[in-house]
Amino acid sequence: MTSTDTKADYTAEEIKAYEAYLSALAEHNIVCARSGATTCEKMDAAFSADAAWKRFCEVAGIVPGSTRSPEDIRTIERLNSQKSELVEDARSAWAMIRGAYNMEVIDTLPDGIDPTDHSAFIRLLRDAERLLDRALDKADSA
């Protein structure tokens, strides 16, 4: 993370959680540096520092081990949701086209309609159906 990735305004809760983490980390270092400290004491201090770190991450919205920022994660979740909505809209549009075909009124040339225009309409509708078929195949295989 670069200095341009950091935010300038921290909440009081974030500052408090970070200071608690630094205190726990300092305590861990003191315990580990003390001659005669047992492994159990060192481990207790390490687990205390870890708990403080996890609390800070929770307060600050950091996902430990993640290479994505919380904002990136929210963006990904929003885009996935929007993608799901688009797929459902495509399914609905495909079903509407199929329903119109099954009504068997599209292939009948209405009185007063130019046959060339009607042919173009049918071709456009069938092309739209093919595009929706292809889009839904891609969505189903993803």
Side-chain angles (χ1 to χ4, degrees), residues 50-69:
D50 181 62
W53 169 250
K54 288 177 181 172
R55 173 69 182 135
F56 167 68
C57 289
E58 177 185 331
V59 169
I62 298 169
V63 179
S66 174
T67 57
R68 295 185 175 125
S69 71

Side-chain angles (χ1 to χ4, degrees), residues 25-38 41-43 45:
L25 190 58
E27 179 64 26
H28 170 262
N29 291 340
I30 291 167
V31 169
C32 289
R34 191 177 68 228
S35 65
T38 66
E41 291 171 328
K42 293 175 184 178
M43 289 178 64

Side-chain angles (χ1 to χ4, degrees), residues 7-18 56 59-60:
K7 67 181 193 178
D9 298 321
Y10 299 102
T11 67
E13 188 178 13
E14 287 173 327
I15 292 168
K16 182 179 176 182
Y18 184 66
F56 167 68
V59 169

Side-chain angles (χ1 to χ4, degrees), residues 78-140:
R78 180 180 50 78
L79 290 173
N80 282 337
S81 174
Q82 289 174 345
K83 183 177 96 173
S84 294
E85 289 174 17
L86 286 172
V87 168
E88 287 310 307
D89 288 348
R91 287 187 200 291
S92 294
W94 182 86
M96 290 175 198
I97 291 172
R98 296 305 307 155
Y101 281 139
N102 288 331
M103 293 170 68
E104 297 180 1
V105 295
I106 291 176
D107 292 328
T108 305
L109 181 63
D111 291 335
I113 299 297
D114 179 1
T116 304
D117 288 346
H118 186 260
S119 237
F121 164 75
I122 297 298
R123 171 61 57 200
L124 289 170
L125 198 58
R126 291 200 171 132
D127 287 348
E129 181 186 20
R130 279 190 212 102
L131 287 173
L132 288 168
D133 280 338
R134 199 168 37 215
L136 291 173
D137 286 344
K138 285 180 185 177
D140 289 341

